[in-house]
Amino acid sequence: METKNILLVGVGGQGTITAAKLLTCGLMASGYDVKMSEIHGMSQRGGSVSSQVRYGTDVQSPVIEAGTADIIVAFEKMEAMRYLNYLKQDGKVIVNDKEIWPMPVIIGKAEYHPDIIGELKKLADVTVIDASKLAIDLGNEKVTNVILLGAIIKAMGLDHIDWDQIIQDNVKEKFVELNQVAIRKGMDLV
Amino acid sequence: MKKLFTGNEAAARGAWEAGVKFAAAYPGTPSTEILENLALYKEVQTEWAPNEKVAVESVAGASIAGIRSLACMKHVGLNVAADPMFTFAYLGVNAGSVILTADEPGMFSSQNEQDNRHYARAANLPMFEPSDSQETKDMMVEAFDLSEKYDVPVLFRMTTRVDHSKSIVTCKPRKDVQDKPYEKNIPKYCPMPAFTGKMQEKLYKNLEKTKEFSNHCKWNYIEDNHKSLGIIASGVAFRYAKEVFGDNASYLKVGFSYPLPMDLIREFSQKVDTIYILEENDPIMETEIKAAGISCIGKDKFPRRGELLPERIRIAAFGKSKETIKPNTETIVGRPPALCAGCPHRGFFYELSKLKDTMIFSDIGCYTLGALAPYNATDACICMGASISGGHGVAQAFKIKNEKKHVISVIGDSTFFHSGITSLLDASYNKSSYLTVILDNRITGMTGHQQNPGSGYDLKGNKAPISDIEQICRAINIKNIRTVNPNHLDEMKDALEWGIHCEGPSVIITRWPCALKRLSTEDKEEFPGVFTQKYHVEMDKCIGCKRCIDTGCPALEFSRNQDGKMSITDSCVGCGVCSQVCPVNAIVKG
Ligand code: SF4
Ligand code: SF4
């Protein structure tokens, strides 16, 4: 099987890494070879972050090459644009309708583009979901990442994997149920 | 048993499987998690050392005493540890010993991109270079065996992509390694001129033998495919190469990279028409291979700086990348890292950046961000500890040149313990006159909250004695010391004014926990009510002057609702700094 590439992008602290870890665990449990890569350090201080997951029969590089991502999932909408060159010509983009201002915007040195999603749609196949709001409705904004994970799973056709189990094995007990609800919510959105 | 491991988890697992009983490190991205993971195995005594030199020295001691031992650090850490390492090579080991360096092609969170493969050559030490988690674990086990077999500490070079990427690892049980008896052996362990000649001879002889190993070990192997192109690659560059060239090239995978497997390389060169050398950063293999009279193509075609990512290899080899979608760059704003909401360094930098006529020498940590907007405070920064000794040099030069500028050194608590103490000793001993500010946020913030000698806990979470920074300063004859709360801007400002005008060296200790820290019981006692109440802006009072923005807090947002007023997001933790600068008291608690 050809290697599949999933790119999760967002802002430090949004939980991209956790989502990518759950995804990677699920893929391993169902028998794929899988590699995941992330960069942390300075980037945690509100910087732009990306987690990359590659799976298939025999995965070599832990990083995705530009122009080869099957799907980009952006936890923050401007980050979708930042990483768009990673997308395959016929790849999909899932965008969380969430705006987080970088320091230059906060201090008034730059402007946050008023219609990033419109611009994205001109360039690629984009699905917008309001995962952050849905997460708040579920009672905890922190599960935004798991809702987005659900969306990835559906979009990549990975719903045959027992995600309830994966969550149970990897999430703190008191959050298991919430996460299981969140992942299903995400799957229903796509 | 199969597990999904980062390279760092795999390194820890490998050390555990190899029967390691003692390990020491100073945290540093991308190596930090190795010891954190090793600490989870109860059979291993794991320790945060105040710095890398100390880590290697204690590991050498453990090896001499007869137990397998591991030291870990980031690439620049090996510079600190280079002194003991070069001589440890002469002594050799009793029980196996490995020194791990985590290099950072691409410099994601480092101050330089040095290629620590040079150290293997310089110190005559064998070196392993894994390309993924499975190899990391397996090579780690072998590295200890090799260390004992050839009586030499072994270098282990990882890089960020190997450290921080996850892949599948087959685990094995821990080896039952017998401790070695310790026997007094002065000619082996005391490098005095009478013995060093012999030591050196042994080191070179054993290195010769590792050449044999290099040519025949399973880490260096040929994969025959096409004969038109042959690729010699080490570390993760091998994975990238396979991604780009697939079966269209033959490979010589180099996993044990010093000494290079020259026989194997010669054999490979007979099989293929053209050879590409793919190695991240410096042309180390290339230089050696060319010197052996084998023609190959390396850095004249492939980039030397940064990561040798698949797309960069592809562009270099084929002249173009894969088809990509061009983003609309006009919609993208940079996202530079920033000090967190509630970071105790912000109050300090806010006041610091208002001082005139200063030369500010920073150190390595979150507070290095003081160089960025809105503070733009820092003048220079070199390496751990250099803020204070560098500041000393600046102060001396200004004195000689009769220049009237205030010199201020900025250093964190963990960094102070790492190598700031000796630097401050230098300033005090040589009667320098300038201000050092020690930002004591009660933890090692930058690398993700590791304990340190001032925090009251050790790596395993057990209580540890607290080294009192103020007392240390007194003990090395600093007379002018003040400890302040950096969130109280008046107090901070007053202390800075005082500090820059003292006779002789002065020290200000700012004491407030890192905003992301899990508070200890001691913290809760010392800082009651910390991070409990958020602030908000009273809209009718806010005049939109933007003054609070100068505090650099990412929880402040100007004009999100287009009404020209400030708002505070949920990430506020209630440090109260912004409220102190608001001229109309529009920012209030609750
Ligand atoms: S991690 Fe701690 S020290 Fe670092 S910027 Fe955030 S609050 Fe400040
Ligand atoms: S009180 Fe002000 S400066 Fe402190 S965290 Fe909240 S918004 Fe930021």
Side-chain angles (χ1 to χ4, degrees):
Chain A
M1 161 192 172
E2 209 188 308
T3 302
K4 295 274 181 201
N5 299 318
I6 302 175
L7 182 62
L8 300 89
V9 301
V11 175
Q14 278 196 293
T16 52
I17 293 177
T18 314
K21 271 184 193 154
L22 285 172
L23 180 60
T24 311
C25 288
L27 290 164
M28 179 175 103
S30 64
Y32 293 106
D33 185 22
V34 50
K35 281 189 172 155
M36 170 196 161
S37 177
E38 65 195 60
I39 288 292
H40 42 173
M42 280 268 195
S43 49
Q44 278 175 322
R45 311 283 174 264
S48 155
V49 295
S50 76
S51 294
Q52 323 194 346
V53 178
R54 311 190 68 223
Y55 65 101
T57 332
D58 182 20
V59 181
Q60 292 293 331
S61 158
V63 297
I64 297 174
E65 189 175 344
T68 69
D70 293 278
I71 185 169
I72 294 181
V73 184
F75 288 46
E76 199 277 351
K77 58 190 182 186
M78 187 169 68
E79 296 311 310
M81 190 63 97
R82 193 188 309 282
Y83 290 93
L84 197 64
N85 65 322
Y86 278 88
L87 195 69
K88 251 197 193 149
Q89 296 299 312
D90 56 348
K92 286 193 194 109
V93 184
I94 294 178
V95 187
N96 180 24
D97 195 356
K98 166 95 183 172
E99 196 168 306
I100 299 175
W101 286 4
M103 195 44 81
V105 174
I106 290 179
I107 62 176
K109 289 255 149 62
E111 239 176 81
Y112 197 105
H113 193 280
D115 186 23
I116 293 224
I117 288 181
E119 293 300 316
L120 279 168
K121 282 186 172 161
K122 288 183 200 159
L123 297 163
D125 169 4
V126 178
T127 309
V128 184
I129 59 183
D130 200 346
S132 297
K133 178 159 174 306
L134 285 166
I136 294 169
D137 292 348
L138 287 181
N140 191 340
E141 196 181 349
K142 290 229 163 78
V143 294
T144 305
N145 61 347
V146 180
I147 296 179
L148 286 160
L149 173 62
I152 301 175
I153 288 165
K154 193 62 184 298
M156 295 302 291
L158 294 167
D159 28 0
H160 57 280
I161 299 170
D162 187 352
W163 293 102
D164 279 347
Q165 189 63 45
I166 301 297
I167 287 175
Q168 204 164 6
D169 295 345
N170 291 286
V171 172
K172 268 207 206 110
E173 209 186 310
K174 66 173 180 187
F175 296 116
V176 166
E177 229 189 277
L178 175 66
N179 278 281
Q180 288 172 340
V181 174
I183 206 168
R184 250 172 266 128
K185 196 129 227 154
M187 286 162 82
D188 291 343
L189 289 173
V190 179
Chain B
M1 185 186 30
K2 282 194 195 273
K3 291 253 187 196
L4 197 60
F5 273 155
T6 59
N8 282 349
E9 287 167 327
R13 174 76 193 196
W16 177 81
E17 285 184 11
V20 163
K21 287 197 176 155
F22 179 82
Y26 182 80
T29 312
S31 70
T32 313
E33 302 81 8
I34 300 172
L35 226 63
E36 288 179 330
N37 279 289
L38 196 51
L40 304 176
Y41 297 99
K42 63 177 188 321
E43 297 87 349
V44 192
Q45 167 71 27
T46 45
E47 298 178 355
W48 288 133
N51 67 36
E52 297 83 356
K53 173 180 186 309
V54 174
V56 167
E57 287 158 352
S58 60
V59 157
S63 162
I64 292 170
I67 58 173
R68 287 191 165 190
S69 57
L70 168 75
C72 310
M73 61 212 67
K74 70 182 291 173
H75 59 340
V76 290
L78 194 53
N79 302 330
V80 180
D83 189 8
M85 180 184 70
F86 275 72
T87 307
F88 189 15
Y90 272 40
L91 269 51
V93 303
N94 181 14
S97 198
V98 170
I99 301 171
L100 185 150
T101 158
D103 291 8
E104 246 213 336
M107 297 180 276
F108 297 97
S109 52
S110 303
Q111 64 267 44
N112 75 29
E113 200 180 51
Q114 70 187 51
D115 188 333
N116 279 2
R117 292 180 298 160
H118 290 293
Y119 271 117
R121 284 149 178 85
N124 297 292
L125 292 179
M127 177 176 263
F128 283 91
E129 276 187 73
S131 71
D132 63 13
S133 301
Q134 179 74 57
E135 278 186 3
T136 301
K137 197 217 71 174
D138 294 342
M139 283 183 183
M140 190 52 106
V141 178
E142 178 130 18
F144 283 95
D145 295 342
L146 190 91
S147 167
E148 281 169 17
K149 186 164 176 210
Y150 296 110
D151 189 11
V152 69
V154 170
L155 275 171
F156 200 90
R157 184 208 191 214
M158 297 176 74
T159 54
T160 314
R161 289 292 175 183
V162 180
D163 289 290
H164 286 173
S165 68
K166 278 191 181 233
S167 54
I168 299 170
V169 175
T170 309
C171 294
K172 294 208 175 117
R174 180 168 162 95
K175 279 197 187 182
D176 187 16
V177 182
Q178 289 300 307
D179 297 342
K180 300 263 159 58
Y182 167 70
E183 273 159 40
K184 186 163 174 148
N185 185 345
I186 294 174
K188 176 160 169 59
Y189 296 126
C190 298
M192 292 179 284
F195 309 128
T196 47
K198 277 258 172 326
M199 292 175 165
Q200 188 186 34
E201 201 182 310
K202 178 202 74 185
L203 176 64
Y204 292 170
K205 247 197 207 135
N206 287 346
L207 193 66
E208 270 317 298
K209 292 185 200 149
T210 55
K211 280 187 187 157
E212 261 318 285
F213 174 82
S214 185
N215 281 310
H216 298 107
C217 71
K218 66 174 178 203
W219 309 113
N220 297 332
Y221 59 87
I222 292 174
E223 214 181 287
D224 278 318
N225 294 313
H226 261 256
K227 72 175 280 299
S228 61
L229 179 63
I231 291 171
I232 302 178
S234 72
V236 75
F238 169 71
R239 302 282 160 200
Y240 298 157
K242 289 212 82 172
E243 200 68 44
V244 175
F245 299 101
D247 291 343
N248 297 322
S250 293
Y251 298 92
L252 199 179
K253 153 94 163 88
V254 180
F256 181 79
S257 68
Y258 191 71
L260 273 178
M262 286 314 296
D263 294 347
L264 203 61
I265 290 170
R266 269 189 210 97
E267 182 190 325
F268 188 63
S269 71
Q270 306 293 314
K271 293 182 168 195
V272 293
D273 304 338
T274 309
I275 295 182
Y276 286 170
I277 310 284
L278 292 180
E279 54 189 328
E280 281 186 314
N281 299 149
D282 297 347
I284 294 178
M285 295 200 289
E286 179 185 345
T287 308
E288 224 170 290
I289 291 168
K290 279 184 174 158
I294 299 166
S295 79
C296 58
I297 298 169
K299 292 297 166 192
D300 30 4
K301 195 172 184 77
F302 299 98
R304 173 171 183 171
R305 298 170 47 214
E307 293 187 282
L308 200 52
L309 295 168
E311 61 253 32
R312 300 184 77 201
I313 296 177
R314 188 182 304 280
I315 292 169
F318 304 115
K320 62 174 191 319
S321 67
K322 294 216 166 178
E323 281 289 299
T324 59
I325 299 172
K326 297 246 169 324
N328 176 353
T329 46
E330 275 168 27
T331 66
I332 307 173
V333 181
R335 228 179 249 287
L339 292 175
C340 304
C343 173
H345 305 334
R346 286 190 306 97
F348 162 68
F349 275 115
Y350 175 75
E351 287 303 332
L352 179 70
S353 59
K354 289 199 300 195
L355 287 184
K356 299 257 163 346
D357 295 325
T358 56
M359 193 294 177
I360 293 161
F361 219 122
S362 175
D363 226 288
I364 310 283
C366 290
Y367 48 88
T368 313
L369 297 174
L372 301 180
Y375 316 109
N376 305 315
T378 306
D379 288 80
C381 175
I382 302 176
C383 64
M384 306 274 285
S387 58
I388 305 181
S389 10
H392 168 64
V394 173
Q396 296 295 50
F398 284 173
K399 196 161 91 193
I400 293 164
K401 289 164 63 191
N402 208 0
E403 203 161 318
K404 296 266 169 296
K405 251 182 187 288
H406 303 297
V407 181
I408 302 172
S409 297
V410 180
I411 190 165
D413 49 342
S414 186
T415 322
F416 179 70
F417 294 122
H418 178 283
S419 45
I421 299 176
T422 41
S423 301
L424 192 60
L425 183 60
D426 181 38
S428 147
Y429 176 61
N430 289 305
K431 304 198 237 14
S432 225
S433 190
Y434 68 100
L435 168 64
T436 294
V437 186
I438 304 171
L439 307 172
D440 181 9
N441 64 359
R442 315 300 305 127
I443 202 77
T444 314
M446 174 86 161
T447 42
H449 302 122
Q450 290 71 34
Q451 305 294 343
N452 67 46
S455 71
Y457 293 87
D458 67 15
L459 170 56
K460 297 227 176 191
N462 302 316
K463 285 240 180 208
I466 298 183
S467 299
D468 184 325
I469 296 177
E470 202 174 307
Q471 296 290 347
I472 293 171
C473 295
R474 283 198 205 291
I476 54 178
N477 295 308
I478 305 291
K479 300 276 183 306
N480 310 307
I481 307 175
R482 271 200 199 180
T483 299
V484 301
N485 175 346
N487 292 330
H488 293 166
L489 296 181
D490 287 344
E491 195 180 331
M492 189 69 248
K493 182 184 174 148
D494 190 58
L496 284 169
E497 276 301 325
W498 163 85
I500 53 178
H501 291 110
C502 283
E503 269 301 310
S506 55
V507 168
I508 297 172
I509 302 163
T510 69
R511 200 166 158 96
W512 195 260
C514 165
L516 304 183
K517 184 187 179 189
R518 243 211 10 249
L519 298 177
S520 65
T521 19
E522 290 79 1
D523 290 332
K524 284 181 194 145
E525 269 167 37
E526 188 181 340
F527 311 99
V530 57
F531 307 137
T532 45
Q533 223 182 357
K534 297 181 193 282
Y535 279 64
H536 76 276
V537 182
E538 291 192 338
M539 282 303 158
D540 47 334
K541 284 200 198 147
C542 175
I543 51 170
C545 69
K546 296 196 195 171
R547 232 181 274 174
C548 54
I549 277 186
D550 294 340
T551 64
C553 180
L556 295 167
E557 282 188 344
F558 184 66
S559 200
R560 178 172 294 262
N561 308 315
Q562 311 294 323
D563 59 358
K565 300 201 181 200
M566 192 59 57
S567 58
I568 290 181
T569 67
D570 204 45
S571 57
C572 168
V573 298
C575 69
V577 166
C578 61
S579 74
Q580 295 167 59
V581 306
C582 176
V584 294
N585 297 321
I587 304 177
V588 293
K589 235 188 208 159

